Structures are given as structure tokens and as C-alpha cells.
Amino acid sequence: MQLLFLGTGAGMPSKQRNTTSTVLKLLEERGTFWMFDCGEATQHQILHTTLKPRKLEKLFITHLHGDHIYGLPGLLGSRSFLGGDEPLTIYGPTGLKNWIDVTLAVSKTHVKYPLTIIEIEEGTVFEDEQFIVEAKLLEHVMPCYGYSVKQKALAPELYIEKTDALGVPRGPLLRQLKEGNDVVLSNGTIVKSEEVTGEVREGFKVTILGDTKYCENSIQLSEKADIVVHEGTFDIETAELARLYGHSTIVDAAEVCQNAYAKNLVVNHISARFLSSDLSNMLTQVKHYPFPIYIAEDLAEYSFVNGLLTKCK
Amino acid sequence: MQLLFLGTGAGMPSKQRNTTSTVLKLLEERGTFWMFDCGEATQHQILHTTLKPRKLEKLFITHLHGDHIYGLPGLLGSRSFLGGDEPLTIYGPTGLKNWIDVTLAVSKTHVKYPLTIIEIEEGTVFEDEQFIVEAKLLEHVMPCYGYSVKQKALAPELYIEKTDALGVPRGPLLRQLKEGNDVVLSNGTIVKSEEVTGEVREGFKVTILGDTKYCENSIQLSEKADIVVHEGTFDIETAELARLYGHSTIVDAAEVCQNAYAKNLVVNHISARFLSSDLSNMLTQVKHYPFPIYIAEDLAEYSFVNGLLTKCK
Ligand SMILES: [Zn+2]
Ligand SMILES: [Zn+2]
């Protein structure tokens, strides 16, 4: 799993930061990637990555401000043009479906893949054998959702040298054992799953929040998350503006993580008022928090391996 | 007057060419600029120019394909955010107004300037003392307009040393003379306008066409134009695709200019299949035409001075 930040700015594009889009790369886990928000020119940012639009499986929209959705129609059209024919599901607030429908219709964009648009409410918005995605409303100037993505526990490793030694034939019995069931061999021997498997491995949890003030639902969504992506439009010195416009400071973001016992924080949605040279000052404001804190840049990629988050690009 | 090409690609953005947007800079003439089409990330392209969004006075949309309109909502919002409070008028085909209204409403974008959206028909779509803009339907897979912009004849130069010598007082009489009217001085002397003025200067004519096959209306709009901007999505070798998708080859574009007695041709809307190295081959296909032909690149600027078009950036 990797997190790839396509756009990390707020409100309007600048030369340094595009409007918001964050990609959760699940290529190893399910051969696809998921996207959270899609500001204008997200498809342009993709041109600078190895992402293939046809591998976009799910798109979660936090809220309907332009800097989070205006790149959607272009990406939907290009995904079709580039040969994407696998289904795509979009999740987001009420009003999203009508806008997409009107926009694709007026521009005579006929996508060639099954497109499903789900207007969500709080709760579980997606679940399969691998993942569960929960949404909660945050506190912004319009309805805005945060999403937590929890990978389910991974099947334990099966020690094939042990099953061989016990005479378990290669075939369906191995799967039974891997899934935690004991089996009886044709000679009557009982083989217990726990004899031949390793430990159940915990899945990861990533929480990707939208535009919001510091709020309780952010904490709940972020509970014990491995990674929290939280907006930090402002800093301590501009905290007044954050309150005024329904946004957070980088300190608010850190407080959420602290109170949620989260393990890593990546801050995005940075106001264009902050230049690269201001970022170290922002990080100084949160240096006393006991977990790693990063300020994301456009096209930066973070890799989560063996419980550790590292910036790989 | 200058022509600035913000996006010169077709269908989808590429690293080389953004989707379509062409700017007619009228800073000397009226302190503003006009835009023709607004593909996604047009506002991003503007970041690489000296254009100020608040100086955008008129926006003409040729047709409603996504690669010509998906940049509109973002630009409208940013123009407001950046302090633009002067009126903006958008001209385009039926369906444009509803889409803009729905899009601004869903994203809670409240622009602070008077925004007028005019769904046009063929004919004169704008006229004032300086300019007249005419639109005609072209031949594409959906309704698509071309626009001609004709600058009206410029008031002749008034020779102030001559009026002084004839005893014309500085004041309103000078304006009368400049506008072609003869005047009577208080001492009864008649001063003829033609005695004290230079020649009437012709204004320029620029024709900016949308996506189209070779068609008669392109020729009519381009008649004796100083500059024609015509799409050349394809070349001779891919002419079959041009026919199929309602587009033109660079040769079609040159034929239009030839038959319209136009003076300069700039070709835009180039398919991403053509690399920079293919452009000289495309130009070779039209080298026998007796007028200058350019293939526009993103951010290229052409200046029209004393009847001559030159590439200045
Ligand atoms: Zn935002
Ligand atoms: Zn086009």
C-alpha cells in the first residue's frame, strides 16, 4: 500500500500545489487504486505518475467544493477514452450524482464502463472480504465526509513444509487449514490449523479526512489508524482564519491524531499563502507530538511496509 | 492585439498540449482579454502567463465537449476569489447556461461579479463601437460555432498642428473633426474634416473556429481575415479519421484560408498522436499555400502589428 498525493493545495491551484486529490495505491492488495477527491487537473497530475486511469476502482468524494470535484468529469471521460472498461464506483455527498449526470450529458460524454455513483450517509459505505470503508460527517461550511479504510485481518501464513511432513495432500485441504479449519486426512489423522499456520496478521487502517475544523468525528474515524491524512490549511498564526472558514491548523490535525492514538500524520490542503520556506516553521509548531508528522507535497508518495510509513518519492 | 494559445491539444490533455483554450489579448484596444474555449486546467495554464483573470471580459465557447468547457467552473470561481469584480459575459451553445448554473450551485460557488451567460444563435453575437463578433455553425458531431472578431475602422489621426493653424479651439470641435464632421468656427470659417485628418485605418479581423470538418461556413467566417485559427486535429495520412470524427486535417484548414483569401493561418487542436518531430512533416503537407501557416504550441503568443503576424513567444 502506498499513498500518492496528486494535489495538496487549498481552494485554487498554484504553481506549487494543485487542488486536492489523494490516491491510495492498492496494487499489491487488489490490483487497483482508490482516489479521494478529484480537483481540477487531477488527470494532468496523473500524467506525471505511473497510475493507469483504468485501474481506478473507487473514488471517494469528501465534499462538493470545486477544488475537490472539478477534475472528475475530465478523468471519467479520459478513463473511458484510454480503454478502461472495468466498473468504477464513486461515493460522495448528496448532489454529486445529478452534477455528474448533467455534466456528462451536456458534454456528450458516453463512458464505456459501468459507472455507479452512490450518494452516501454516515456509516459503512463499502465492505468486501478485504476492506471496510466507513464515513462520518466532519465540520465544514458544507456537508463534508471523512473516510476510514480498514484492511481486514490477513489470512495467516501456511507452512507448507509442515503440511507436507504431516502428509496433507496439496489441494483444497490446504485452503481449509489456511482459513483456520482443522482437517481429517484419508488415513484418519487430524491436522489442526494452528499446527501448520503462523499468526493472524492485522490489516492496516488509513483515515483520509476532508475539509474540516477540529472535530470529534475526525478523532473517531482516526482511532488507532496507522496513517491519518488531515487537512492543515492554516497554522497557529492564522488560526483565526481556520475558525472563520471551517478549516484546521496543522496543530488541530496533530491534536486529532494524538487523541485518536494514531501512528502517523500526513497533512495536506495547504493554503497557497505558505511558501516552501514556511513549512519548517509549520512543522516546528507540532514538533512536540510523539508521532511522525509530514506535510505532503504534490506527487509525493508514502509507502507503508511492515507497520512503518516512509516517504519513497 | 496578441493571440495567446493556452491549450492546443485535442480530446485529452497530454504532457505537451493541454485541452483547448485560446486568448485574444486586447489590452491596448480595451484593457481586457477575451477567451475562446476553456478546457480543463486553463486556469493552471494562466499561472504561467501574465494574464490577470479579472481582466477576462468575454468568453466564447465553440461547443460543449469536455475538452472545451471543463476548465470553466474553476476559472469562474478563481476569478472571483482573486478579486475580479468587473462583469463577465459568456457566449456559447444551448445547454451551457444550465450546466454552469448547476455546477456553481452544487459547489456553492458564489461569484462576486456580474456573470451573464448568453446562449447564442448564428449571427451577430456582440457589437459595440470597437468590435463586432459574428458566429456561424460549423460541421462537427455536435453543434459547434466558429467566431469572427472584426475590429471596426479606427478613427483617423487628427493633425493638431493643422487645426491650431486654422484657429480651431481645443475642445469639442476637435472631436467633431476627428469623427469626420466639418465644423464652423465662431468667426464663420468652415473647417473640413478631411483637411485636418489622416486616412481611416482598417481594423483587424481574427477568426477563431471550433472543432469542424472542412465547411462552407468556416470559409465565410474567415473571409479576408488577417488571422484564422483553425483546428488541424489530423494530417493527410490520417484524413480518414478526420472524416470519421468530424475533424479537419491541416490541409483542410489551409484550404479554408485559401478559399477565404485569409492572410495567416494558425492551426491548433493537434492530436496527441503527433509528436514534436511530426510537426515539420505536417507543415510540409501545406507548404505550397501562399500564406504563412503556423502550428500553435501551448503558451505560444503571436503578435499582430502593422498588418503583420509574428510569433513573439
Ligand atoms: Zn478544499
Ligand atoms: Zn475538441
Side-chain angles (χ1 to χ4, degrees):
Chain A
M1 181 269 278
Q2 297 88 30
L3 271 176
L4 170 53
F5 290 84
L6 294 178
T8 61
M12 281 197 313
S14 70
K15 278 189 193 173
Q16 286 71 42
R17 297 179 185 276
N18 196 31
T19 48
T20 303
S21 181
T22 306
V23 163
L24 182 65
K25 287 171 84 169
L26 300 171
L27 295 171
E28 296 91 348
E29 291 81 1
R30 52 199 289 137
T32 65
F33 68 91
W34 295 358
M35 181 179 282
F36 295 78
D37 286 334
C38 188
E40 183 178 355
T42 292
Q43 65 165 327
H44 297 65
Q45 294 291 81
I46 288 177
L47 293 174
H48 300 280
T49 71
T50 56
L51 296 174
K52 304 264 168 286
R54 67 186 149 80
K55 300 215 165 176
L56 172 60
E57 181 199 0
K58 292 181 181 296
L59 213 161
F60 300 89
I61 298 296
T62 62
H63 66 300
L64 302 179
H65 273 152
D67 58 323
H68 297 254
I69 62 168
Y70 284 170
L72 243 172
L75 179 59
L76 296 184
S78 294
R79 184 182 189 273
S80 185
F81 191 83
L82 292 168
D85 52 14
E86 281 131 291
L88 172 62
T89 307
I90 307 180
Y91 305 82
T94 305
L96 182 63
K97 180 164 165 41
N98 179 57
W99 176 64
I100 293 176
D101 288 348
V102 167
T103 301
L104 297 186
V106 82
S107 59
K108 300 261 191 294
T109 305
H110 309 288
V111 301
K112 289 178 219 128
Y113 49 84
L115 175 64
T116 308
I117 301 163
I118 300 177
E119 295 187 339
I120 64 167
E121 295 180 357
E122 289 192 307
T124 301
V125 298
F126 169 71
E127 181 169 9
D128 69 1
E129 292 185 356
Q130 282 190 299
F131 286 96
I132 179 162
V133 180
E134 310 246 14
K136 278 183 190 290
L137 279 167
L138 309 178
E139 294 183 17
H140 192 43
V141 294
M142 69 154 72
C144 180
Y145 288 101
Y147 295 94
S148 77
V149 178
K150 179 91 190 72
Q151 186 186 31
K152 295 188 176 176
L154 297 159
E157 205 182 341
L158 181 75
Y159 301 125
I160 198 80
E161 64 283 8
K162 290 194 182 174
T163 57
D164 280 355
L166 292 166
V168 185
R170 302 276 173 116
L173 289 184
L174 291 182
R175 180 164 185 177
Q176 295 269 353
L177 287 164
K178 193 174 161 82
E179 287 174 353
N181 304 309
D182 303 338
V183 300
V184 184
L185 304 184
S186 53
N187 64 7
T189 312
I190 293 170
V191 179
K192 293 196 164 172
S193 174
E194 62 183 47
E195 291 179 78
V196 296
T197 54
E199 292 202 355
V200 170
R201 291 165 292 163
E202 274 290 296
F204 61 75
K205 177 175 175 181
V206 182
T207 298
I208 299 179
L209 301 164
D211 290 8
T212 187
K213 293 196 278 193
Y214 175 91
C215 74
E216 180 59 30
N217 276 355
S218 295
I219 298 169
Q220 291 190 13
L221 282 171
S222 302
E223 201 194 335
K224 292 184 188 144
D226 293 294
I227 310 162
V228 174
V229 178
H230 193 299
E231 71 129 297
T233 315
F234 296 101
D235 72 346
I236 282 187
E237 290 150 31
T238 51
E240 204 48 53
L241 295 172
R243 305 285 165 269
L244 206 58
Y245 298 119
H247 284 296
S248 294
T249 66
I250 189 170
V251 179
D252 293 329
E255 276 295 301
V256 163
C257 286
Q258 169 99 319
N259 292 330
Y261 305 97
K263 302 192 187 74
N264 294 276
L265 168 61
V266 187
V267 178
N268 68 349
H269 205 270
I270 311 295
S271 164
R273 77 184 59 226
F274 300 111
L275 308 176
S276 313
S277 52
D278 299 320
L279 301 185
S280 63
N281 182 39
M282 288 181 81
L283 286 171
T284 302
Q285 298 174 7
V286 290
K287 72 171 191 289
H288 53 287
Y289 289 91
F291 43 83
I293 300 179
Y294 304 88
I295 296 176
E297 284 161 38
D298 279 22
L299 303 180
E301 186 168 328
Y302 296 81
S303 186
F304 188 69
V305 182
N306 296 330
L308 274 180
L309 187 68
T310 49
K311 185 164 184 293
C312 54
K313 246 178 230 157
Chain B
M1 180 269 277
Q2 296 88 31
L3 271 175
L4 170 53
F5 290 85
L6 294 178
T8 61
M12 281 197 314
S14 71
K15 278 190 193 173
Q16 287 72 40
R17 297 179 185 276
N18 196 30
T19 49
T20 303
S21 182
T22 306
V23 163
L24 181 65
K25 288 171 82 169
L26 300 171
L27 296 171
E28 296 91 348
E29 290 81 1
R30 53 198 290 137
T32 66
F33 68 91
W34 295 358
M35 181 180 281
F36 295 78
D37 287 334
C38 188
E40 183 179 353
T42 291
Q43 65 164 329
H44 297 64
Q45 294 291 82
I46 287 178
L47 293 174
H48 299 280
T49 72
T50 57
L51 296 173
K52 304 264 170 286
R54 68 186 148 82
K55 299 216 164 176
L56 172 60
E57 181 199 1
K58 293 182 180 295
L59 213 162
F60 300 89
I61 298 296
T62 62
H63 66 300
L64 302 179
H65 273 152
D67 58 324
H68 297 253
I69 61 167
Y70 283 170
L72 242 172
L75 179 59
L76 296 184
S78 295
R79 184 182 188 271
S80 185
F81 191 82
L82 292 167
D85 51 14
E86 281 132 290
L88 171 63
T89 308
I90 308 179
Y91 305 82
T94 305
L96 181 62
K97 180 164 166 39
N98 179 57
W99 175 65
I100 294 177
D101 288 347
V102 167
T103 301
L104 297 186
V106 82
S107 59
K108 299 263 192 294
T109 305
H110 308 288
V111 301
K112 288 179 217 128
Y113 49 85
L115 174 63
T116 310
I117 302 162
I118 300 176
E119 295 188 339
I120 63 166
E121 294 181 355
E122 288 192 308
T124 300
V125 298
F126 169 71
E127 180 168 9
D128 69 0
E129 291 185 357
Q130 283 189 299
F131 286 96
I132 180 162
V133 181
E134 311 246 15
K136 278 183 190 289
L137 280 167
L138 308 178
E139 294 182 17
H140 192 43
V141 294
M142 69 153 74
C144 180
Y145 288 100
Y147 295 94
S148 77
V149 178
K150 179 92 189 72
Q151 186 186 31
K152 294 188 178 177
L154 297 160
E157 205 181 342
L158 181 73
Y159 300 126
I160 199 80
E161 65 281 10
K162 288 194 183 174
T163 57
D164 281 354
L166 291 166
V168 185
R170 303 274 173 118
L173 289 183
L174 291 182
R175 177 158 188 182
Q176 295 269 354
L177 287 164
K178 194 174 160 80
E179 285 175 354
N181 304 307
D182 303 338
V183 301
V184 184
L185 303 185
S186 53
N187 64 7
T189 313
I190 292 172
V191 178
K192 294 198 164 170
S193 174
E194 63 183 46
E195 291 178 78
V196 295
T197 55
E199 292 202 352
V200 171
R201 290 165 293 164
E202 274 289 296
F204 61 75
K205 178 175 175 181
V206 182
T207 299
I208 299 179
L209 301 164
D211 289 9
T212 187
K213 293 196 279 193
Y214 175 91
C215 73
E216 180 57 31
N217 276 355
S218 295
I219 298 169
Q220 290 189 13
L221 282 171
S222 302
E223 202 194 335
K224 293 187 187 140
D226 294 295
I227 310 163
V228 174
V229 178
H230 193 299
E231 70 129 297
T233 314
F234 296 100
D235 73 345
I236 282 187
E237 291 150 31
T238 50
E240 203 49 53
L241 295 172
R243 306 284 165 269
L244 205 59
Y245 297 118
H247 284 297
S248 294
T249 67
I250 189 170
V251 179
D252 293 329
E255 276 294 303
V256 163
C257 287
Q258 169 100 317
N259 292 329
Y261 305 99
K263 302 192 188 73
N264 294 276
L265 169 61
V266 186
V267 178
N268 68 348
H269 205 268
I270 311 295
S271 164
R273 78 184 59 227
F274 300 110
L275 309 176
S276 313
S277 52
D278 298 319
L279 300 185
S280 64
N281 182 39
M282 288 182 81
L283 286 172
T284 303
Q285 297 174 8
V286 290
K287 72 171 190 288
H288 53 286
Y289 288 91
F291 44 82
I293 301 179
Y294 304 88
I295 296 177
E297 284 160 36
D298 278 23
L299 303 180
E301 185 168 330
Y302 296 81
S303 187
F304 188 68
V305 183
N306 297 328
L308 274 179
L309 187 69
T310 49
K311 185 166 185 290
C312 54
K313 244 178 235 159

